[in-house]
Amino acid sequence: MRNFIGNYVGPRLKINQKNIWFRQTKFEKKLDTKLKVKKWKKYIPSYNPNEFDIKHYSLTQIITNMYRAEIDHEIMFILSYVPLVFSIFFDDFIIFLLTSFIVSLIDLALIVVQRYNRNRLIKVSSKIANRKH
């Protein structure tokens, strides 16, 4: 499921980067500070670190990759609860619920990091653009 979303669905998505969904809110900024995202984000692994490497991609392309990665993880966050349907057949609802919840928390952490980093890179990109003009 994760490979399908990440390798097939994500790259084919048409993303409107100006969509309100992607805007960082004041609450989100405060939450990032409370969660101390800056301290722990470096410990979050990346499936394909090259997608976020300035040696391989431009800043604009990296930001676009971050939008896609966020959407991928949001889709996987929702789909992480699909296995609850199978708990009907195995009579272990609590186990299915716990594993789904843990996996969704991991996706949530990845979403937080994508949003945190992307907003920082957007600021850097706009500063660079302003210097050119």
Side-chain angles (χ1 to χ4, degrees), residues 22-66:
F22 296 116
R23 289 191 204 138
Q24 188 178 40
T25 63
K26 291 178 184 177
F27 171 77
E28 192 174 356
K29 285 182 184 181
K30 289 178 185 176
L31 185 63
D32 288 344
T33 304
K34 278 226 188 278
L35 293 174
K36 300 178 183 179
V37 176
K38 188 175 182 177
K39 288 187 178 188
W40 56 263
K41 70 183 185 86
K42 61 186 168 200
Y43 301 109
I44 300 290
S46 176
Y47 173 72
N48 187 358
N50 288 337
E51 288 185 356
F52 309 105
D53 189 348
I54 199 77
K55 294 174 189 169
H56 296 99
Y57 293 97
S58 71
L59 195 55
T60 305
Q61 289 170 316
I62 291 172
I63 292 168
T64 300
N65 291 343
M66 290 177 150

Side-chain angles (χ1 to χ4, degrees), residues 72-83:
D72 288 351
H73 288 291
E74 289 168 346
I75 292 168
M76 288 185 277
F77 175 86
I78 294 165
L79 293 178
S80 67
Y81 289 95
V82 169

Side-chain angles (χ1 to χ4, degrees), residues 7 21 27 35 41 57-58 85 87 90 104 108 110 124:
N7 295 318
W21 182 260
F27 171 77
L35 293 174
K41 70 183 185 86
Y57 293 97
S58 71
V85 173
S87 69
F90 295 102
S104 71
L108 187 59
L110 293 163
V124 169

Side-chain angles (χ1 to χ4, degrees), residues 78-105:
I78 294 165
L79 293 178
S80 67
Y81 289 95
V82 169
L84 293 177
V85 173
F86 296 104
S87 69
I88 297 167
F89 304 111
F90 295 102
D91 199 32
D92 280 331
F93 180 77
I94 297 298
I95 298 297
F96 279 86
L97 180 63
L98 283 173
T99 56
S100 291
F101 180 71
I102 291 166
V103 170
S104 71
L105 284 180

